[in-house]
Amino acid sequence: MATLAMLSLPGREVVLRRAVADDVPAVVALLAADQLGAGRDGIRSEDDHRAYLAAFGLVDADPAQLLVVATEGEDVVATLQLTFLPGLARRGALRAQLEAVRVRSDHRGTGLGSALVEWAVEEAGRRGCALVQLTSDKTRGGAHQFYERLGFVASHEGLKLTLPR
Amino acid sequence: MATLAMLSLPGREVVLRRAVADDVPAVVALLAADQLGAGRDGIRSEDDHRAYLAAFGLVDADPAQLLVVATEGEDVVATLQLTFLPGLARRGALRAQLEAVRVRSDHRGTGLGSALVEWAVEEAGRRGCALVQLTSDKTRGGAHQFYERLGFVASHEGLKLTLPR
């Protein structure tokens, strides 16, 4: 499996790599363990599993997407999705977007989340992006401060519209 | 050129279509006419033109991107970029993202912007998206209210980090 990086966390061996289909249950477990994801995500049936695998197939086939898992030993301890967005604005700047950043609850406050996001910002730079962007639910206490410590500026409103399925 | 839709605006003939390379100067003019884009965008040299054309090439080649122009007669009067983002969150939901929504200043307040964004939301639904999302600079007075009237909820902080070029 393609290693992207080792995170420099003292005394630990955390490997970043591109997610594979076998990681889907572990990634969904991280999404479902989240306060906001609890009602939205989880694999409770074969149908659920198929839906997530189909979505993984779309992500994996799209060269603009990079779904990353952080592993320690056999465990998937964190994940994020990086998307590279071309556009005309800002003199044709490429943007990187972070979605679905999740760190397993027993690994929070250990520097793992910061190291993961810092890696993503560096990767965006290596790919020639001019901007990294993300949105964070306003009910997530502490998340904005976490990103602001990493250099992000909360300059925008993030607006969402849910469509009927 | 591929017409996507006619906007239903009484007494007007506004056509939406996929942007082509020849539209790039008009789209950049809309970006540059914007209060925030004024310092960031504009074609002042052949180098500028080449940079925008290269970015247009990336957008146009990516099946997840749809750069739209609204035309009235010969004029490009509005633009937006729709991106379709696969992901695992929300049971593998496809998201649509709006970027670079711009309406020519003399066409604001005419219902054109609303009709354009409503079309984009409908298009997202037709493509099976579960969510439409965008961010709007907090200094843009009135923009959030505009989107809230169209059903968007300002539930998120939009965080950005500018990378050195």
Side-chain angles (χ1 to χ4, degrees):
Chain A
M1 285 184 277
T3 297
L4 296 164
M6 296 280 302
L7 292 187
S8 60
L9 292 164
R12 299 177 65 177
E13 285 218 355
V14 179
V15 174
L16 295 193
R17 61 174 171 76
R18 188 180 178 93
V20 296
D22 283 349
D23 295 318
V24 167
V27 172
V28 175
L30 287 175
L31 297 174
D34 181 75
Q35 51 180 352
L36 294 168
R40 300 197 292 231
D41 281 300
I43 297 179
R44 293 171 202 94
S45 68
E46 197 44 47
D47 267 6
D48 289 345
H49 193 209
R50 267 194 294 271
Y52 284 110
L53 277 181
F56 174 80
L58 294 177
V59 171
D60 196 49
D62 182 345
Q65 307 293 337
L66 181 59
L67 181 63
V68 175
V69 289
T71 60
E72 194 165 32
E74 298 288 296
D75 290 356
V76 173
V77 292
T79 181
L80 63 74
Q81 183 177 347
L82 250 174
T83 305
F84 301 96
L85 297 163
L88 295 195
R90 299 179 187 233
R91 227 170 162 271
L94 190 65
R95 294 165 187 240
Q97 182 161 303
L98 297 180
E99 290 271 3
V101 182
R102 298 290 186 279
V103 175
R104 214 171 74 183
S105 58
D106 57 336
H107 287 257
R108 286 182 205 145
T110 66
L112 173 58
S114 297
L116 175 63
V117 173
E118 282 168 352
W119 172 84
V121 169
E122 288 162 16
E123 179 66 14
R126 282 189 287 271
R127 297 215 190 190
C129 295
L131 193 76
V132 186
Q133 62 185 25
L134 63 93
T135 67
S136 177
D137 196 296
K138 288 178 182 173
T139 64
R140 284 188 201 283
H144 323 138
Q145 288 80 355
F146 167 80
Y147 288 113
E148 285 172 344
R149 277 195 301 273
L150 294 171
F152 287 83
V153 179
S155 53
H156 284 61
E157 288 287 342
L159 295 123
K160 312 262 172 178
L161 186 158
T162 306
L163 295 173
R165 290 270 204 169
Chain B
M1 287 185 275
T3 297
L4 297 164
M6 296 280 302
L7 293 187
S8 60
L9 292 165
R12 299 176 64 177
E13 286 218 354
V14 180
V15 174
L16 296 192
R17 61 175 171 76
R18 187 181 179 93
V20 295
D22 282 349
D23 295 317
V24 167
V27 172
V28 175
L30 287 175
L31 298 174
D34 181 75
Q35 51 181 352
L36 294 168
R40 300 196 293 231
D41 282 300
I43 297 179
R44 292 170 204 93
S45 67
E46 197 46 46
D47 266 7
D48 290 344
H49 193 208
R50 267 194 294 271
Y52 284 110
L53 277 181
F56 174 79
L58 294 177
V59 171
D60 197 48
D62 181 345
Q65 308 293 336
L66 181 58
L67 181 63
V68 175
V69 289
T71 59
E72 194 165 33
E74 298 288 296
D75 290 356
V76 172
V77 293
T79 182
L80 63 74
Q81 183 177 346
L82 249 174
T83 305
F84 301 96
L85 296 164
L88 295 195
R90 301 180 186 230
R91 224 168 164 273
L94 190 65
R95 292 166 189 240
Q97 182 161 304
L98 297 180
E99 291 270 3
V101 181
R102 297 290 185 281
V103 175
R104 214 171 73 184
S105 58
D106 57 335
H107 287 257
R108 287 183 205 143
T110 67
L112 173 59
S114 297
L116 176 63
V117 173
E118 282 168 353
W119 172 84
V121 169
E122 288 163 17
E123 180 66 14
R126 284 189 287 271
R127 298 215 190 189
C129 295
L131 194 75
V132 186
Q133 63 185 23
L134 63 93
T135 67
S136 177
D137 196 296
K138 288 178 183 175
T139 64
R140 282 188 202 284
H144 324 136
Q145 289 80 354
F146 168 79
Y147 288 113
E148 284 172 344
R149 278 195 301 272
L150 294 170
F152 287 83
V153 180
S155 54
H156 285 59
E157 288 286 343
L159 295 123
K160 312 260 172 179
L161 185 159
T162 306
L163 295 173
R165 289 271 202 167

